[in-house]
Amino acid sequence: MVKVSLPWPDTGLSPNARLHWSKVATLKGKAKVDAMYLTYEALPCGVKEARQHFAGDGPIIYQVTFYPPDKRHRDDDNMIASFKAARDGIAAALAVNDRRFRAEYRIAEPCKPGRVDVCLSPISSPRSALANAADIG
């Protein structure tokens, strides 16, 4: 299992922000690159070994826990949308297509300055998929 801790997404990445497309593109690019490098740092082994661990076309358990920076109400769909560029960065670091992610999203209690924790684990066979599902739930 790989656990990556990322900073809280920039408010400009929210679908409600309605920024100019060039500003949004800059923010998305930064979020993607930051997530990619933070994923590299979180790998317990080297990048090559981690990519081999996640190789193939099977599903990857992808648990995301949002720790908002304050107690303001946030819609879960906006948090997920704001996190999309970081998700792409994680997938790029592991050299996988993010369509393999089987996502589970949670919202935890607020903490300063806010963060997003992502836990990833490949499912290698139907038998291990059942075992992993039992461990998660």
Side-chain angles (χ1 to χ4, degrees):
M1 181 173 74
V2 174
K3 181 179 179 185
V4 183
S5 288
L6 302 166
W8 187 254
D10 189 287
T11 57
L13 292 172
S14 171
N16 294 336
R18 293 179 178 79
L19 298 177
H20 189 269
W21 66 267
S22 64
K23 175 70 173 167
V24 174
T26 300
L27 292 172
K28 284 181 179 180
K30 181 179 179 344
K32 183 175 179 177
V33 169
D34 289 351
M36 190 167 52
Y37 283 110
L38 288 169
T39 302
Y40 291 149
E41 289 177 10
L43 296 174
C45 53
V47 174
K48 185 176 180 180
E49 292 84 4
R51 287 182 172 177
Q52 288 174 346
H53 185 66
F54 288 95
D57 58 358
I60 298 171
I61 296 173
Y62 176 82
Q63 296 175 316
V64 180
T65 305
F66 293 100
Y67 294 87
D70 54 45
K71 292 187 178 204
R72 285 186 285 167
H73 173 74
R74 289 175 171 81
D75 293 336
D76 60 343
D77 57 340
N78 288 336
M79 284 190 282
I80 294 167
S82 297
F83 189 68
K84 175 68 170 103
R87 174 183 165 125
D88 292 340
I90 293 169
L94 299 175
V96 300
N97 188 319
D98 66 351
R99 73 171 176 229
R100 293 177 54 200
F101 293 157
R102 298 299 175 259
E104 177 182 319
Y105 297 98
R106 298 177 180 157
I107 303 170
E109 290 297 314
C111 71
K112 293 276 183 193
R115 72 177 191 275
V116 182
D117 289 345
V118 180
C119 293
L120 300 136
S121 180
I123 300 175
S124 56
S125 69
R127 171 175 242 152
S128 66
L130 294 174
N132 286 336
D135 290 341
I136 293 170

